[in-house]
Amino acid sequence: MRQTQATAIDRESRQEEVRKLLPEIGLIGDPRFRAAVLEIWTEMWARSQHTNVAGAPFSHKCPGVSLIEHVRAVTLAAQGLASVITAVHGIQVDRDLLLTACLLHDVSKLVEIGPDGQLTREGRLFPHAYLAAEAASKAGLSDEVVSLIVTHTPVVNIRSPRYVEAFILEHADLASAHILIESKAQSGA
């Protein structure tokens, strides 16, 4: 009984921390999507070697850069790009689909990259984003969300995105990643 209570308390405290660090979860309109994002982040964190999710690294190639900051930057950039696409071109964007995928696109890095910034066993065994896509599927999220997650990076993108949300996520992610990596290189860090 104590183990179950301790696990429940730990889960609740992890969820509260994730809510605090990723306020963009609140932008998702569909409560099922919000709950799934929170649960997947909590699950991945629990599976990881990280005691502090805020300190989890964005990339094994760019130590010292926060995964949380990258995910927030991608989510906010995608939100802005979606607004521009709709305002200028009149193209409708499924905001819940986009926000959910943005918030989950790199969550598996919690398991793929250790606190030391090096790839873990899982990070070496599985293609990037596989674990996030699998978690999204198990959580009952749509095939569209799963597809956005698994195809968000050209590293594993064996099939080009076919819809507007995929293009927005891919380009917001690449912009953030390239800027972070280049700024680190320029600063000599």
Side-chain angles (χ1 to χ4, degrees):
M1 182 70 165
R2 282 189 178 184
Q3 180 67 19
T4 304
Q5 286 177 329
T7 303
I9 291 168
D10 185 52
R11 183 176 168 277
E12 288 173 18
S13 65
R14 286 177 191 262
Q15 284 187 338
E16 186 55 38
E17 183 70 7
V18 170
R19 270 191 208 95
K20 182 177 79 175
L21 292 169
L22 294 172
E24 293 76 18
I25 294 171
L27 298 174
I28 301 171
D30 187 323
R32 294 168 301 153
F33 283 24
R34 279 195 312 268
V37 168
L38 186 59
E39 187 57 39
I40 291 166
W41 267 90
T42 303
E43 173 195 327
M44 287 292 180
W45 183 10
R47 287 178 58 182
S48 80
Q49 301 169 12
H50 299 280
T51 55
N52 175 10
V53 73
F58 149 70
S59 171
H60 66 285
K61 298 176 184 175
C62 196
V65 176
S66 162
L67 172 61
I68 293 288
E69 289 174 1
H70 169 69
V71 168
R72 291 193 69 215
V74 169
T75 303
L76 293 169
Q79 180 83 335
L81 187 54
S83 294
V84 170
I85 295 296
T86 299
V88 174
H89 300 296
I91 297 171
Q92 295 306 307
V93 177
D94 183 332
R95 298 297 177 108
D96 281 354
L97 174 65
L98 180 63
L99 290 167
T100 300
C102 285
L103 288 162
L104 293 175
H105 82 283
D106 275 352
V107 69
S108 59
K109 286 186 177 184
L110 288 171
V111 177
E112 296 168 355
I113 303 169
D116 61 358
Q118 299 301 308
L119 289 176
T120 62
R121 178 179 178 273
E122 293 90 342
R124 291 186 306 274
L125 282 175
F126 299 110
H128 169 54
Y130 166 79
L131 295 172
E134 178 185 53
S137 181
K138 284 181 179 177
L141 290 172
S142 69
D143 289 343
E144 289 77 13
V145 171
V146 174
S147 173
L148 282 168
I149 293 167
V150 83
T151 63
H152 83 271
T153 175
V155 173
V156 293
N157 190 350
I158 56 174
R159 196 174 91 168
S160 297
R162 303 277 189 233
Y163 41 98
V164 67
E165 295 85 4
F167 289 112
I168 292 171
L169 170 55
E170 180 181 358
H171 290 284
D173 180 48
L174 288 174
S176 176
H178 289 213
I179 290 166
L180 287 170
I181 291 167
E182 189 58 33
S183 68
K184 275 292 208 188
Q186 287 178 8
S187 71

mmCIF file of all heavy atoms in Angstrom, residues 8 13 15 17-18 51 63 70 78 80 108 116-117 121 125 136-137 145 147 150-151 154 166 169-170 183:
data_model
loop_
_atom_site.group_PDB
_atom_site.id
_atom_site.type_symbol
_atom_site.label_atom_id
_atom_site.label_comp_id
_atom_site.label_asym_id
_atom_site.label_seq_id
_atom_site.Cartn_x
_atom_site.Cartn_y
_atom_site.Cartn_z
ATOM 1 N N ALA A 8 1.815 7.151 -6.421
ATOM 2 C CA ALA A 8 0.776 8.117 -6.787
ATOM 3 C C ALA A 8 1.214 9.534 -6.456
ATOM 4 O O ALA A 8 1.004 10.458 -7.249
ATOM 5 C CB ALA A 8 -0.529 7.782 -6.073
ATOM 6 N N SER A 13 3.292 14.745 -8.263
ATOM 7 C CA SER A 13 4.297 15.812 -8.199
ATOM 8 C C SER A 13 4.986 15.988 -9.552
ATOM 9 O O SER A 13 5.287 17.112 -9.959
ATOM 10 C CB SER A 13 5.319 15.555 -7.089
ATOM 11 O OG SER A 13 6.088 14.411 -7.357
ATOM 12 N N GLN A 15 3.511 15.388 -12.453
ATOM 13 C CA GLN A 15 2.526 16.060 -13.301
ATOM 14 C C GLN A 15 2.471 17.554 -13.005
ATOM 15 O O GLN A 15 2.405 18.369 -13.926
ATOM 16 C CB GLN A 15 1.139 15.434 -13.124
ATOM 17 C CG GLN A 15 0.994 14.112 -13.821
ATOM 18 C CD GLN A 15 -0.417 13.589 -13.792
ATOM 19 O OE1 GLN A 15 -1.227 13.964 -12.947
ATOM 20 N NE2 GLN A 15 -0.721 12.700 -14.726
ATOM 21 N N GLU A 17 4.860 19.418 -11.850
ATOM 22 C CA GLU A 17 6.091 20.009 -12.388
ATOM 23 C C GLU A 17 5.995 20.190 -13.904
ATOM 24 O O GLU A 17 6.375 21.223 -14.443
ATOM 25 C CB GLU A 17 7.296 19.139 -12.027
ATOM 26 C CG GLU A 17 8.630 19.683 -12.474
ATOM 27 C CD GLU A 17 9.080 20.928 -11.707
ATOM 28 O OE1 GLU A 17 8.430 21.315 -10.720
ATOM 29 O OE2 GLU A 17 10.103 21.522 -12.103
ATOM 30 N N VAL A 18 5.477 19.185 -14.592
ATOM 31 C CA VAL A 18 5.319 19.273 -16.050
ATOM 32 C C VAL A 18 4.351 20.406 -16.395
ATOM 33 O O VAL A 18 4.616 21.199 -17.302
ATOM 34 C CB VAL A 18 4.866 17.930 -16.654
ATOM 35 C CG1 VAL A 18 4.460 18.086 -18.107
ATOM 36 C CG2 VAL A 18 5.974 16.885 -16.511
ATOM 37 N N THR A 51 16.259 13.010 -12.705
ATOM 38 C CA THR A 51 15.541 13.350 -11.474
ATOM 39 C C THR A 51 14.889 14.717 -11.619
ATOM 40 O O THR A 51 13.890 15.000 -10.970
ATOM 41 C CB THR A 51 16.496 13.364 -10.263
ATOM 42 O OG1 THR A 51 17.581 14.238 -10.536
ATOM 43 C CG2 THR A 51 17.017 11.958 -9.973
ATOM 44 N N PRO A 63 24.993 19.777 -25.454
ATOM 45 C CA PRO A 63 24.790 19.694 -24.009
ATOM 46 C C PRO A 63 24.593 21.084 -23.395
ATOM 47 O O PRO A 63 25.103 22.074 -23.896
ATOM 48 C CB PRO A 63 26.076 19.028 -23.492
ATOM 49 C CG PRO A 63 27.060 19.148 -24.588
ATOM 50 C CD PRO A 63 26.312 19.326 -25.866
ATOM 51 N N HIS A 70 13.470 23.964 -25.546
ATOM 52 C CA HIS A 70 13.324 23.656 -26.970
ATOM 53 C C HIS A 70 11.868 23.324 -27.302
ATOM 54 O O HIS A 70 11.317 23.849 -28.279
ATOM 55 C CB HIS A 70 14.238 22.493 -27.368
ATOM 56 C CG HIS A 70 13.947 21.950 -28.732
ATOM 57 N ND1 HIS A 70 14.201 22.649 -29.884
ATOM 58 C CD2 HIS A 70 13.392 20.768 -29.112
ATOM 59 C CE1 HIS A 70 13.822 21.935 -30.927
ATOM 60 N NE2 HIS A 70 13.324 20.785 -30.486
ATOM 61 N N ALA A 78 5.473 27.303 -33.695
ATOM 62 C CA ALA A 78 4.459 26.655 -34.525
ATOM 63 C C ALA A 78 3.115 27.362 -34.387
ATOM 64 O O ALA A 78 2.401 27.568 -35.382
ATOM 65 C CB ALA A 78 4.330 25.183 -34.148
ATOM 66 N N GLY A 80 2.658 30.518 -33.690
ATOM 67 C CA GLY A 80 2.763 31.763 -34.453
ATOM 68 C C GLY A 80 2.691 31.536 -35.949
ATOM 69 O O GLY A 80 2.001 32.271 -36.669
ATOM 70 N N SER A 108 10.403 11.804 -26.056
ATOM 71 C CA SER A 108 11.186 10.574 -25.895
ATOM 72 C C SER A 108 12.656 10.855 -25.629
ATOM 73 O O SER A 108 13.389 9.965 -25.194
ATOM 74 C CB SER A 108 11.021 9.649 -27.100
ATOM 75 O OG SER A 108 11.420 10.270 -28.282
ATOM 76 N N ASP A 116 23.792 12.860 -18.361
ATOM 77 C CA ASP A 116 25.155 13.224 -18.769
ATOM 78 C C ASP A 116 25.213 13.764 -20.200
ATOM 79 O O ASP A 116 26.277 14.114 -20.702
ATOM 80 C CB ASP A 116 26.089 12.017 -18.636
ATOM 81 C CG ASP A 116 25.673 10.836 -19.516
ATOM 82 O OD1 ASP A 116 24.632 10.910 -20.213
ATOM 83 O OD2 ASP A 116 26.400 9.826 -19.498
ATOM 84 N N GLY A 117 24.058 13.809 -20.873
ATOM 85 C CA GLY A 117 24.006 14.318 -22.242
ATOM 86 C C GLY A 117 24.335 13.278 -23.303
ATOM 87 O O GLY A 117 24.336 13.581 -24.493
ATOM 88 N N ARG A 121 20.871 3.574 -23.776
ATOM 89 C CA ARG A 121 20.680 2.332 -24.529
ATOM 90 C C ARG A 121 19.503 2.486 -25.489
ATOM 91 O O ARG A 121 19.607 2.155 -26.665
ATOM 92 C CB ARG A 121 20.442 1.180 -23.550
ATOM 93 C CG ARG A 121 20.187 -0.155 -24.200
ATOM 94 C CD ARG A 121 19.977 -1.251 -23.132
ATOM 95 N NE ARG A 121 19.682 -2.510 -23.774
ATOM 96 C CZ ARG A 121 18.456 -2.905 -24.129
ATOM 97 N NH1 ARG A 121 17.409 -2.141 -23.880
ATOM 98 N NH2 ARG A 121 18.271 -4.072 -24.712
ATOM 99 N N LEU A 125 19.245 2.305 -29.540
ATOM 100 C CA LEU A 125 18.482 1.200 -30.142
ATOM 101 C C LEU A 125 17.356 1.649 -31.071
ATOM 102 O O LEU A 125 17.093 1.000 -32.077
ATOM 103 C CB LEU A 125 17.852 0.334 -29.045
ATOM 104 C CG LEU A 125 18.760 -0.632 -28.331
ATOM 105 C CD1 LEU A 125 18.017 -1.325 -27.198
ATOM 106 C CD2 LEU A 125 19.298 -1.673 -29.307
ATOM 107 N N ALA A 136 2.201 7.927 -27.609
ATOM 108 C CA ALA A 136 1.010 8.639 -28.094
ATOM 109 C C ALA A 136 -0.042 7.653 -28.588
ATOM 110 O O ALA A 136 -1.233 7.812 -28.311
ATOM 111 C CB ALA A 136 1.397 9.622 -29.194
ATOM 112 N N SER A 137 0.400 6.640 -29.291
ATOM 113 C CA SER A 137 -0.524 5.626 -29.787
ATOM 114 C C SER A 137 -1.163 4.866 -28.625
ATOM 115 O O SER A 137 -2.390 4.678 -28.594
ATOM 116 C CB SER A 137 0.210 4.657 -30.716
ATOM 117 O OG SER A 137 -0.670 3.685 -31.214
ATOM 118 N N VAL A 145 -1.726 12.485 -34.923
ATOM 119 C CA VAL A 145 -0.755 12.932 -33.910
ATOM 120 C C VAL A 145 0.475 12.038 -33.958
ATOM 121 O O VAL A 145 1.608 12.524 -33.970
ATOM 122 C CB VAL A 145 -1.364 12.942 -32.490
ATOM 123 C CG1 VAL A 145 -0.295 13.198 -31.436
ATOM 124 C CG2 VAL A 145 -2.474 13.982 -32.375
ATOM 125 N N SER A 147 1.601 10.251 -36.391
ATOM 126 C CA SER A 147 2.324 10.518 -37.635
ATOM 127 C C SER A 147 3.153 11.801 -37.535
ATOM 128 O O SER A 147 4.309 11.831 -37.955
ATOM 129 C CB SER A 147 1.336 10.625 -38.799
ATOM 130 O OG SER A 147 2.003 11.031 -39.967
ATOM 131 N N VAL A 150 6.284 11.061 -35.344
ATOM 132 C CA VAL A 150 7.296 10.181 -35.932
ATOM 133 C C VAL A 150 7.944 10.783 -37.176
ATOM 134 O O VAL A 150 9.091 10.454 -37.495
ATOM 135 C CB VAL A 150 6.721 8.771 -36.187
ATOM 136 C CG1 VAL A 150 5.955 8.681 -37.485
ATOM 137 C CG2 VAL A 150 7.799 7.720 -36.112
ATOM 138 N N THR A 151 7.261 11.693 -37.863
ATOM 139 C CA THR A 151 7.831 12.271 -39.086
ATOM 140 C C THR A 151 8.348 13.697 -38.896
ATOM 141 O O THR A 151 8.676 14.354 -39.873
ATOM 142 C CB THR A 151 6.802 12.272 -40.236
ATOM 143 O OG1 THR A 151 5.702 13.112 -39.885
ATOM 144 C CG2 THR A 151 6.341 10.870 -40.570
ATOM 145 N N PRO A 154 13.775 15.167 -40.219
ATOM 146 C CA PRO A 154 14.264 14.546 -41.450
ATOM 147 C C PRO A 154 15.196 13.370 -41.195
ATOM 148 O O PRO A 154 15.411 12.544 -42.075
ATOM 149 C CB PRO A 154 14.991 15.674 -42.171
ATOM 150 C CG PRO A 154 15.173 16.761 -41.195
ATOM 151 C CD PRO A 154 14.213 16.546 -40.071
ATOM 152 N N ALA A 166 2.031 19.113 -40.257
ATOM 153 C CA ALA A 166 3.324 18.423 -40.326
ATOM 154 C C ALA A 166 4.425 19.373 -40.801
ATOM 155 O O ALA A 166 5.524 19.375 -40.255
ATOM 156 C CB ALA A 166 3.231 17.212 -41.255
ATOM 157 N N LEU A 169 5.194 21.904 -37.880
ATOM 158 C CA LEU A 169 5.999 21.285 -36.826
ATOM 159 C C LEU A 169 7.433 21.060 -37.287
ATOM 160 O O LEU A 169 8.382 21.412 -36.588
ATOM 161 C CB LEU A 169 5.376 19.967 -36.361
ATOM 162 C CG LEU A 169 6.228 19.101 -35.424
ATOM 163 C CD1 LEU A 169 6.674 19.863 -34.189
ATOM 164 C CD2 LEU A 169 5.475 17.833 -35.054
ATOM 165 N N GLU A 170 7.590 20.472 -38.455
ATOM 166 C CA GLU A 170 8.942 20.172 -38.945
ATOM 167 C C GLU A 170 9.796 21.443 -39.039
ATOM 168 O O GLU A 170 10.939 21.467 -38.595
ATOM 169 C CB GLU A 170 8.874 19.487 -40.308
ATOM 170 C CG GLU A 170 10.262 19.162 -40.860
ATOM 171 C CD GLU A 170 10.225 18.513 -42.227
ATOM 172 O OE1 GLU A 170 9.131 18.253 -42.778
ATOM 173 O OE2 GLU A 170 11.320 18.264 -42.762
ATOM 174 N N SER A 183 24.147 28.673 -32.276
ATOM 175 C CA SER A 183 24.509 29.659 -31.252
ATOM 176 C C SER A 183 25.499 29.062 -30.261
ATOM 177 O O SER A 183 26.408 29.747 -29.787
ATOM 178 C CB SER A 183 23.282 30.213 -30.539
ATOM 179 O OG SER A 183 22.663 29.234 -29.753
#
